[in-house]
Amino acid sequence: MSDLTVSFLQTELHWHDAAANRAAIKQHLDQLTAPTDLVVLPEMFTTGFSMEAPAQAETMEGPTVAWLRERAAALNAVVTGSVIIKENDAYHNRLLWVRPDGTLSSYDKRHLFTLAGEQHVYTPGRARLVEEWRGWRICPLVCYDLRFPVWSRNQPVAPYDLLLYVANWPAVRRTAWMTLLRARAIENVACALGVNRIGRDALGHDYAGDSALLDARGNYLVEAHDQAGVFTHTLRRDELEEFRTKFTALNDGDAFEFSAP
């Protein structure tokens, strides 16, 4: 079993300017001087958290998907983050999981943020995504999903080693972000990564960042606080396996099946 080097970007976002965001993010990623396995970008990284899907959406054949393929190939790493996608006359807050060979998987955000009216614009996802990458099983989710432990639960039918959330999580609720991210790591006996943005959007919402990577004990491995930049850490497979061998709480979990309505 191999270790996994994870890089994540915490940054401000240009409001409704996909080209500017792609260019700025590329500048950040060009600073990576050592090999990495996984690059994680924030939620809606081309637009900021927007309900203006008809004007801002791209298709799966659009420029951002092509750009993600270019970045993944150049870095020889999976690159992931969410964007606004139109497909079959519906709009999705879609996380794209793009591999170096150009193939991709996707996950549509399940829990839509009703306080912002997200449910009136976007179609929710119906299934989780668990990807195997370089010896690690990874479950990527999106922002508000963090509040729902059943959806995030590590289950024997599709176990994971790393749980990650991409987000535009406002500063006013930063205590919930930090508390729940740590709880998800501890209760699922898995590493957890939360990638948030910083700055202020055009609607006046402030974002404190607080992106962080935690081990399966809930210990912080990387904390970005309110700083912009790319943060990298190598997760040790032997450390995760050793802890899981000694602390077998996942074996005592409740059996259940989840059916999305």
Side-chain angles (χ1 to χ4, degrees):
M1 294 294 184
S2 60
D3 298 337
L4 187 79
T5 300
V6 179
S7 301
F8 63 90
L9 173 63
Q10 180 168 278
T11 185
E12 296 188 41
L13 296 174
H14 299 278
W15 185 251
H16 289 179
D17 193 337
N21 282 311
R22 290 192 298 265
I25 291 170
K26 181 180 181 299
Q27 285 188 332
H28 280 293
L29 298 185
D30 285 346
Q31 298 173 15
L32 286 167
T33 57
T36 191
D37 298 302
L38 174 63
V39 175
V40 186
L41 309 177
E43 178 186 22
M44 291 194 185
F45 66 83
T46 57
T47 58
F49 188 66
S50 174
M51 298 300 106
E52 297 183 35
Q56 300 302 320
E58 298 184 29
T59 69
M60 294 297 287
E61 292 72 42
T64 295
V65 173
W67 179 87
L68 284 166
R69 286 187 165 117
E70 291 173 358
R71 293 301 92 218
L75 294 167
N76 190 31
V78 162
V79 181
T80 189
S82 92
V83 297
I84 303 172
I85 293 290
K86 182 179 181 181
E87 188 174 64
N88 298 326
D89 296 321
Y91 299 101
H92 305 275
N93 184 346
R94 178 167 291 177
L95 178 140
L96 300 168
W97 181 270
V98 184
R99 306 176 192 89
D101 65 1
T103 61
L104 63 82
S105 300
S106 64
Y107 162 75
D108 293 334
K109 184 180 182 181
R110 170 66 193 157
H111 297 93
L112 302 180
F113 191 54
T114 57
L115 278 74
E118 194 178 8
Q119 78 281 12
H120 299 306
V121 180
Y122 298 97
T123 298
R126 298 182 60 85
R128 283 197 331 187
L129 176 68
V130 177
E131 283 287 324
E132 186 167 349
W133 180 242
R134 293 181 178 168
W136 288 66
R137 292 182 61 83
I138 304 166
C139 179
L141 299 173
V142 180
C143 201
Y144 197 38
D145 289 331
L146 177 63
R147 285 187 176 267
F148 301 93
V150 173
W151 188 248
S152 302
R153 186 66 176 168
N154 207 349
Q155 301 183 55
V157 294
Y160 57 74
D161 306 307
L162 171 62
L163 180 64
L164 68 86
Y165 299 89
V166 302
N168 273 210
W169 195 286
V172 68
R173 290 184 287 277
R174 65 190 297 254
T175 298
W177 165 260
M178 293 185 289
T179 303
L180 294 174
L181 183 61
R182 197 172 197 183
R184 297 294 88 85
I186 293 169
E187 71 193 9
N188 292 301
V189 195
C191 301
L193 170 62
V195 180
N196 195 21
R197 62 160 294 181
I198 55 175
R200 173 175 289 186
D201 68 19
L203 303 178
H205 300 304
D206 292 311
Y207 300 88
D210 298 312
S211 299
L213 176 64
L214 300 94
D215 69 13
R217 295 175 173 85
N219 298 318
Y220 286 100
L221 301 173
V222 181
E223 295 180 83
H225 301 291
D226 61 353
Q227 300 302 303
V230 179
F231 301 81
T232 297
H233 184 85
T234 298
L235 295 172
R236 294 280 304 276
R237 184 74 198 198
D238 59 346
E239 292 180 355
L240 176 61
E241 294 299 331
E242 180 182 1
F243 179 59
R244 284 179 165 176
T245 298
K246 293 179 179 179
F247 188 74
T248 57
L250 286 179
N251 297 337
D252 302 325
D254 302 308
F256 65 91
E257 292 184 4
F258 184 89
S259 177

